[in-house]
Amino acid sequence: MREYQLISDYKHNQTYKESFNELAKQVFELDFHEWYTRGCWNDDYICYSYVDGEKVIANVSVNKMIVTSNGRTYQALQLGTVMTHPDYRQQGLAAKLTNHVITKYEQDYDFLYLFANPSVLDFYPKFGFQKVQESRFSLPASRVKATVPSKSALRKLDVDSADDFALMKEFATSRVPVSTRWGVQASEHLSLFYFLLVFPDSLYYIEQEDVIVLFEREDDQLHVFDIVSKRAVDPEQIIGHLLTNETNVIQFHFMPESDNEHIQAELITETDDTLFVRPSLPELPEHFLFPLTSHA
């Protein structure tokens, strides 16, 4: 079997970086170009890739994370962007890269984790990863007090505006976990990824609260993807700014920091993002959820 060169940490190498991006576009239809040209690729995101000449043909990336659980913090490593060029598959390249990453980092982190799509659910258990079931959280809108509209300065952010992007970067750098019950910090590069590439049309700034909110409305559902703040805030107070007369249910895409007895939690039985962990997570609440905007 042919041997290929293993490279890593090449965020300053334009040739490899562009080849990595071409592979990501081909495999995942993801274009990282705007993300890295705007300075979002930092030291917490490291690619481990095989190259054929100067062409990236397979990759496993690591994301250095800090996970918070009930006030405690854990050093965690999230794997992501696992991909192989179609012409180089069936050679075990992704497996070799995964083993390389595990060997390099497992002694220095409390746990490793990743989110897998349905096509690779049988792949990761071979490396000692175990499937863990998350939950979803919702709240009837009737249980949240709406904010008087005249006092709610909800401003849509524009990712193409230099001033707005500077504001986004400030919040991504200084944000606190969306929940101390279960959340992440030190995830600036991922927050900016979601701002720029996933939810560019769903970003709003609430000046009164000094927070950025990522949300969308779907029929009578209000989907709150993230609340980005530099200080601890009451999520229900923030959501009060987002309610309309048509809103019946609020769907949280993170574990809310709230004691509201009306928040409903149920195990997720079907998902395109299955959580795998190695070797295990710290002691968990009965229901928990990694914030969507922390998924690599």
Side-chain angles (χ1 to χ4, degrees):
M1 183 178 294
R2 184 174 174 183
E3 293 295 324
Y4 301 103
Q5 181 185 359
L6 173 62
I7 63 172
S8 66
D9 199 14
Y10 49 81
K11 62 181 175 293
H12 299 304
N13 184 305
Q14 194 67 19
T15 299
Y16 290 145
K17 190 162 55 177
E18 291 179 358
S19 182
F20 161 83
N21 193 43
E22 288 302 315
L23 182 59
K25 287 193 291 185
Q26 181 174 3
V27 175
F28 295 123
E29 298 183 349
L30 274 176
D31 188 345
F32 288 88
H33 184 264
E34 184 177 7
W35 177 75
Y36 60 69
T37 55
R38 298 182 73 170
C40 305
W41 189 335
N42 63 17
D43 291 338
D44 290 329
Y45 182 75
I46 303 174
C47 292
Y48 289 85
S49 306
Y50 281 121
V51 291
D52 186 356
E54 294 184 334
K55 176 182 177 180
V56 174
I57 59 172
N59 180 80
V60 173
S61 297
V62 300
N63 301 263
K64 298 179 180 180
M65 314 287 289
I66 298 176
V67 174
T68 63
S69 175
N70 293 319
R72 297 187 62 181
T73 60
Y74 300 88
Q75 299 296 321
L77 194 78
Q78 182 182 183
L79 280 61
T81 331
V82 180
M83 55 186 179
T84 303
H85 190 284
D87 295 342
Y88 295 84
R89 291 175 182 170
Q90 306 304 317
Q91 299 183 45
L93 299 181
K96 289 181 180 179
L97 289 171
T98 301
N99 277 322
H100 176 81
V101 166
I102 291 172
T103 300
K104 182 176 180 63
Y105 288 102
E106 65 179 339
Q107 298 301 319
D108 298 324
Y109 286 82
D110 294 309
F111 61 90
L112 281 63
Y113 72 104
L114 57 91
F115 293 91
N117 65 56
S119 67
V120 291
L121 297 184
D122 294 332
F123 180 71
Y124 293 104
K126 300 174 185 177
F127 305 94
F129 286 92
Q130 299 180 7
K131 184 166 68 172
V132 179
Q133 196 169 19
E134 295 181 285
S135 297
R136 59 171 55 92
F137 298 86
S138 62
L139 177 65
S142 59
R143 299 298 181 175
V144 179
K145 182 179 179 181
T147 301
V148 179
S150 61
K151 295 182 179 180
S152 178
L154 188 64
R155 181 171 71 85
K156 195 174 192 299
L157 296 176
D158 181 359
V159 296
D160 294 321
S161 161
D163 289 341
D164 281 356
F165 182 67
L167 180 72
M168 296 176 207
K169 200 159 188 178
E170 175 190 348
F171 272 78
T173 303
S174 305
R175 70 171 301 170
V176 299
V178 69
S179 170
T180 59
R181 294 181 173 186
W182 192 267
V184 300
Q185 58 191 74
S187 59
E188 172 190 347
H189 66 294
L190 284 172
S191 293
L192 291 169
F193 172 86
Y194 279 90
F195 290 172
L196 290 174
L197 303 183
V198 183
F199 296 117
D201 297 319
S202 308
L203 297 165
Y204 295 84
Y205 177 61
I206 306 177
E207 184 174 5
Q208 180 179 333
E209 306 289 351
D210 194 27
V211 300
I212 292 175
V213 186
L214 285 66
F215 75 93
E216 293 177 358
R217 295 186 175 93
E218 181 184 18
D219 299 326
D220 66 341
Q221 310 275 309
L222 174 66
H223 292 270
V224 183
F225 301 110
D226 203 354
I227 297 173
V228 187
S229 175
K230 294 177 284 186
R231 57 180 174 79
V233 295
D234 179 354
E236 293 177 42
Q237 182 173 328
I238 304 303
I239 289 167
H241 293 269
L242 314 179
L243 296 179
T244 66
N245 292 334
E246 291 74 31
T247 307
N248 284 326
V249 179
I250 299 141
Q251 300 287 352
F252 296 96
H253 293 261
F254 52 86
M255 184 175 181
E257 180 91 1
S258 175
D259 292 320
N260 191 320
E261 63 182 6
H262 300 287
I263 289 180
Q264 300 166 4
E266 60 176 340
L267 292 173
I268 298 173
T269 56
E270 295 183 7
T271 178
D272 290 332
D273 268 337
T274 300
L275 174 62
F276 284 88
V277 180
R278 182 187 195 277
S280 62
L281 287 173
E283 185 176 350
L284 294 171
E286 180 181 359
H287 297 281
F288 82 103
L289 180 67
F290 271 98
L292 173 64
T293 58
S294 71
H295 290 208

